[in-house]
Amino acid sequence: MNDLNIPATQSTPSIHAQWQAGVLLMAGDSYPENSFDFFTEVIEWVEAYLNQEQRPLRLELNLVYMNTSSVKAMLDIFDMLEEAHGEGREVSVSWYYDPRNERVVDLADEFKEDCTFPFEIKPDSGS
């Protein structure tokens, strides 16, 4: 499997998936016109990584805004991580946020409530 590099647009986050490092980075706003189409490639990458590799997978998120359909796509990704964690895989999420944006912290907290794998919410050091 290859790395995945999707540049950010005004309505989509940048996505960088590094197969050898076992890291998936997402940053920016997420309100694509068609979230299903946009996230399909990302979800397939996560699925392939979890099926083909035994190494840890770490998600690093720095998302500013997500529309409802992006939240659904993220839930699908977290469900895959939860299942992998339940099978003994090492997975984790680090969600960085701008301390001035309380809505992002609330959203990250809501995601975290449903996850049993390591999930940290940290202020962005660049803020």
Side-chain angles (χ1 to χ4, degrees):
M1 191 68 165
N2 295 326
D3 290 352
L4 188 62
N5 290 300
I6 302 172
T9 68
Q10 188 171 5
S11 61
T12 61
S14 64
I15 296 179
H16 301 283
Q18 303 163 3
W19 188 272
Q20 289 304 317
V23 176
L24 173 61
L25 310 166
M26 290 190 225
D29 287 319
S30 184
Y31 54 97
E33 192 167 306
N34 187 328
S35 290
F36 179 79
D37 283 348
F38 180 76
F39 281 103
T40 292
E41 194 173 9
V42 178
I43 289 170
E44 288 174 352
W45 188 94
V46 172
E47 189 171 45
Y49 186 90
L50 292 172
N51 287 334
Q52 296 175 30
E53 293 290 339
Q54 290 303 312
R55 293 178 288 129
L57 177 60
R58 186 176 81 244
L59 266 62
E60 292 189 12
L61 308 175
N62 195 337
L63 297 167
V64 178
Y65 171 80
M66 298 177 75
N67 66 4
T68 303
S69 57
S70 295
V71 168
K72 169 70 174 93
M74 192 61 65
L75 285 171
D76 290 345
I77 292 170
F78 288 164
D79 284 347
M80 287 189 289
L81 296 181
E82 188 66 35
E83 184 177 335
H85 179 67
E87 295 170 354
R89 297 287 306 277
E90 188 177 334
V91 297
S92 64
V93 170
S94 296
W95 192 313
Y96 299 93
Y97 67 94
D98 181 338
R100 297 169 295 187
N101 188 345
E102 293 180 17
R103 289 182 308 162
V104 172
V105 177
D106 292 342
L107 179 62
D109 274 336
E110 288 180 31
F111 280 122
K112 183 178 179 177
E113 287 177 8
D114 295 328
C115 300
T116 61
F117 53 81
F119 192 125
E120 59 182 359
I121 303 169
K122 301 165 59 169
D124 188 348
S125 59
S127 299

